[in-house]
Amino acid sequence: RGLHDACQRAHQELGISAPLGDAFEMVELDPAFYAGVLGQPAWLKSTPRPTLRGVRILSQLLCTEVPSPPANEPPLGPGNTPRERITSSVASRGAPCQVCHSLFDPTGFALEAFDEQAHLTGFDTSGSLKLQSSGETRPLAGPHDLGQALATSDDARSCAVARAIEYLLQSPLRDDPSGLIDCIANC
């Protein structure tokens, strides 16, 4: 009974209609939002803002080196949505902030469909993903597009291989002079 009550509360918190019975039942969720890891509440809650989500995707899923934030990060600016508040804050801080935020904010904005508690917001989810290896920028219309862009990206595949090797070696990779990552990722 405790598990059932906990599941009911979780569904209510996320605004998802849950089955009323005690038996396990499949629940249909909108795949435009809830497809893959990036639409999972645990992942979304661990990175509550679009900027942090963009940084995490680039650094952990694409192995892109992301500069550290300034020690005294100023508060967000005015606006009704996180995108508006981030954009106004970054614009007021000038070129150094704009350069870095232009790397990760467009990716994080694709997940603006979810707030910090993983509830659907109804906010604009357009964004983009810049791939380092090709220099290509892929437009994104939301979480599903972001997931598809990552799933079909050579950068993400190579990063997954690198992360697996790091896990096996229990040590971060500094470089790959022998081309092992490229060989495994593209075999």
Side-chain angles (χ1 to χ4, degrees):
R1 185 77 194 149
L3 178 61
H4 179 266
D5 292 343
C7 288
Q8 290 290 350
R9 280 193 306 278
H11 281 97
Q12 288 171 350
E13 285 179 16
L14 297 173
I16 299 170
S17 298
L20 298 175
D22 288 338
F24 283 104
E25 295 180 40
M26 293 292 291
V27 176
E28 289 293 322
L29 299 175
D30 185 347
F33 298 108
Y34 295 105
V37 173
L38 300 178
Q40 295 298 312
W43 191 90
L44 292 161
K45 287 180 178 183
S46 69
T47 49
R49 292 188 307 274
T51 296
L52 298 175
R53 291 172 182 171
V55 167
R56 188 170 181 194
I57 290 166
L58 291 178
S59 65
Q60 293 181 353
L61 301 180
L62 294 171
C63 294
T64 301
E65 190 142 341
V66 178
S68 298
N72 296 325
E73 195 166 345
L76 294 177
N80 294 321
T81 68
R83 179 187 308 251
E84 291 171 358
R85 296 181 71 210
I86 291 166
T87 303
S88 67
S89 177
V90 170
S92 70
R93 290 185 265 159
C97 293
Q98 291 170 350
V99 168
C100 288
H101 278 266
S102 70
L103 295 173
F104 40 75
D105 282 345
T107 303
F109 289 150
L111 294 173
E112 199 172 4
F114 302 100
D115 68 10
E116 62 278 350
Q117 294 300 313
H119 299 114
L120 287 175
T121 62
F123 295 151
D124 177 15
T125 59
S126 62
S128 62
L129 177 66
K130 183 167 184 169
L131 301 171
Q132 297 297 317
S133 65
S134 65
E136 173 189 10
T137 299
R138 294 186 185 180
L140 305 170
H144 183 265
D145 280 3
L146 176 57
Q148 288 297 310
L150 290 168
T152 60
S153 160
D154 291 338
D155 291 9
R157 186 175 21 263
S158 293
C159 184
V161 168
R163 296 291 185 229
I165 292 171
E166 289 174 340
Y167 178 78
L168 291 170
L169 298 175
Q170 294 294 297
S171 176
L173 292 175
R174 298 290 178 227
D175 56 14
D176 183 26
S178 64
L180 177 65
I181 293 172
D182 188 47
C183 178
I184 294 171
N186 296 308
C187 288

